[in-house]
Amino acid sequence: MIRTFLTRFLLGIILCSTTVSAADWPQWRGEHRDGLSSETGLLKEWPAEGPRKVWMSDVAGLGYAGIAVVGDTLYTMGAREDKEFLIAINAADGSEKWSLEMGPLLTNGWGDGPRGTPTVVGDHVYALSGQGHLHCAKVQDGTSVWSTKMSEFGGKAPNWGYTESVLVDGDRVVCTPGGKQGAIVALNRKTGETLWQSKDFTEGAQYASITVVEFDGIRQYVQLTQQKLVGLNAETGAVVWQSDWNGKTAVIPTPIHNDGKVYISSGYGVGCKLVQLEADGKVSDVYVNQVMKNHHGGVILVGNHLYGYSDGPGWICQDFATGEMVWNEKNELGKGAIAYADGMFVLQDEGKGTIMLIEASPEGWKPHGKFTLAPQTTKRNPKGKIWTHPTISNGKLYLRDQELLFCFDITQK
């Protein structure tokens, strides 16, 4: 009896020490749109061959759409022949649960198909196609609840199509059709009815996704276009503040808010800046520089430091408050995307498909394993790369290369 008790006691200690705190990834860049997962109990060192592959599936269709995960279901979008689809996939084995036709195929010289990430809230999932068809569907079976088009709000798809991942905030679905009728629109998330359109903000749509900011007692929707960073009143759509930006060609990364400050970055040699929000709709630049020139792989704030790939210096750590570079690494891994969980970054090389684990540390580049995604699609456009960002959810790492979806177990055993 004593031996049995001790065995159970020790087993309990082991189980407690390796318990995973799991979390869903219900939208673009995770729960709070910041690229941060709250999960713990994940691997801090990968085996030489990489973490264990649970499954690979080829049901996602073509495109660069991201992956949302809630419970036992993945949600993404993909092109099949000349149509785009919202697709639900079983997280256990990669099999398709259901699909919903969203509209005609977006064609593009860098690769056809959808680009954004579905947003899952309660019993519904919301997704925007490459040509700007917005759908609300039931998560259970994909039944369409309502749909609309960005063209109905005066919107015109930018050169690479609509890539935005729509925001669901309370009873509102918020997205960016762009154009003279109003760049940003808020819809009733249950009915699709228009609640407001930002008639005093009329920039063309770019490729960034909206984030939420609470400041000076006002809930705001912050969006970045080619020439403006803007905060809109969440209740009315009125402009609260604006700041100029000299974006070129394509403006993509999601704005980052922390303690009354908003950080943005763009590629094509543009750089980054930090703005300070002030009372009564005033803003001021804290710094503007070219330390971080992030194209589309994303930037993540952990503590007081920003991390991401900057065209030129490579992977960098940047001081959030001052804008100064803390460290950089340009030889070990190529340009790509980033995600965070449990004190570590998962980095993805868009060209070779190399996936690397490093510490989220301002002390320098500290790798803890890597592997190369295999197999890789034969259907990707020759100009295209592995551009879908990693998703970390419920102890799993999800990666995508066009129609191929991969699930890896990254829990400590």
Side-chain angles (χ1 to χ4, degrees):
M1 290 179 64
I2 293 174
R3 184 179 300 169
T4 302
F5 171 80
L6 288 173
T7 300
R8 289 176 177 175
F9 178 75
L10 291 172
L11 180 60
I13 292 175
I14 293 170
L15 290 174
C16 288
S17 66
T18 59
T19 296
V20 174
S21 173
D24 290 332
W25 189 279
Q27 60 176 331
W28 166 241
R29 284 168 57 90
E31 183 179 5
H32 302 295
R33 299 199 150 207
D34 54 10
L36 303 172
S37 169
S38 61
E39 295 203 21
T40 58
L42 305 182
L43 289 171
K44 298 302 177 70
E45 193 82 33
W46 284 349
E49 69 278 9
R52 181 178 68 89
K53 185 190 295 185
V54 180
W55 52 257
M56 185 191 78
S57 170
D58 62 357
V59 303
L62 300 184
Y64 301 104
I67 301 165
V69 183
V70 174
D72 63 358
T73 307
L74 278 62
Y75 301 87
T76 191
M77 295 179 285
R80 295 171 175 172
E81 297 182 350
D82 60 348
K83 306 288 185 184
E84 293 185 10
F85 291 83
L86 173 61
I87 304 168
I89 295 168
N90 192 318
D93 60 12
S95 61
E96 181 177 320
K97 287 188 170 184
W98 54 257
S99 62
L100 172 67
E101 183 180 320
M102 299 184 69
L105 177 68
L106 171 74
T107 58
N108 184 267
W110 296 85
D112 300 341
R115 275 95 161 101
T117 302
T119 302
V120 185
V121 177
D123 295 332
H124 298 98
V125 53
Y126 304 81
L128 183 66
S129 78
Q131 289 202 25
H133 294 236
L134 175 61
H135 288 261
C136 168
K138 294 181 180 179
V139 298
Q140 182 178 6
D141 57 11
T143 300
S144 178
V145 178
W146 57 262
S147 64
T148 188
K149 302 175 184 177
M150 296 300 97
S151 59
E152 295 182 9
F153 305 100
K156 180 182 179 182
N159 291 338
W160 284 275
Y162 282 105
T163 71
E164 180 178 23
S165 303
V166 299
L167 171 72
V168 179
D169 181 46
D171 289 331
R172 292 182 286 270
V173 177
V174 191
C175 57
T176 314
K180 295 181 179 179
Q181 289 181 210
I184 298 174
V185 63
L187 310 175
N188 183 299
R189 78 174 181 91
K190 296 180 179 179
T191 66
E193 175 188 2
T194 302
L195 300 176
W196 52 255
Q197 190 164 2
S198 61
K199 298 188 183 302
D200 54 348
F201 181 69
T202 57
E203 297 287 308
Q206 277 286 292
Y207 308 95
S209 295
I210 296 167
T211 192
V212 179
V213 169
E214 291 274 0
F215 185 79
D216 196 27
I218 302 173
R219 191 169 184 83
Q220 304 173 24
Y221 298 140
V222 174
Q223 178 60 301
L224 178 64
T225 63
Q226 195 162 73
Q227 302 299 319
K228 297 287 183 181
L229 173 66
V230 66
L232 301 182
N233 186 301
E235 295 291 334
T236 67
V239 173
V240 179
W241 55 268
Q242 292 187 69
S243 180
D244 292 337
W245 184 237
N246 294 317
K248 297 178 182 177
T249 310
V251 172
I252 304 169
T254 303
I256 296 171
H257 171 254
N258 184 57
D259 193 28
K261 298 179 179 67
V262 178
Y263 174 93
I264 56 174
S265 181
S266 295
Y268 300 95
V270 175
C272 62
K273 85 168 177 175
L274 184 72
V275 300
Q276 174 69 61
L277 308 185
E278 302 171 9
D280 301 322
K282 297 179 181 178
V283 293
S284 58
D285 291 348
V286 178
Y287 58 78
V288 182
N289 64 42
Q290 292 186 314
V291 169
M292 180 73 81
K293 300 182 289 293
N294 188 261
H295 188 190
H296 48 58
V299 179
I300 293 178
L301 175 65
V302 177
N304 298 316
H305 294 89
L306 297 148
Y307 302 83
Y309 188 93
S310 178
D311 291 338
W315 294 96
I316 74 166
C317 172
Q318 182 183 23
D319 189 292
F320 178 79
T322 68
E324 296 178 356
M325 185 184 295
V326 178
W327 58 254
N328 75 297
E329 170 56 56
K330 63 184 303 182
N331 297 319
E332 287 201 33
L333 191 72
K335 178 177 179 177
I338 183 171
Y340 169 93
D342 200 12
M344 309 295 284
F345 287 121
V346 174
L347 310 180
Q348 174 180 277
D349 183 322
E350 66 180 30
K352 296 180 180 179
T354 301
I355 314 300
M356 181 172 281
L357 185 71
I358 71 165
E359 289 184 37
S361 170
E363 301 302 317
W365 176 267
K366 299 180 180 181
H368 287 261
K370 66 179 180 179
F371 68 98
T372 300
L373 200 61
Q376 294 182 19
T377 184
T378 60
K379 300 179 180 180
R380 192 190 320 131
N381 186 292
K383 288 186 177 181
K385 300 181 186 297
I386 301 175
W387 284 327
T388 302
H389 288 213
T391 289
I392 300 169
S393 180
N394 301 320
K396 304 296 191 297
L397 168 64
Y398 297 99
L399 303 171
R400 178 178 183 177
D401 182 13
Q402 297 294 309
E403 83 281 10
L404 301 181
L405 288 177
F406 300 83
C407 173
F408 295 90
D409 186 348
I410 55 172
T411 58
Q412 295 182 29
K413 301 299 183 185

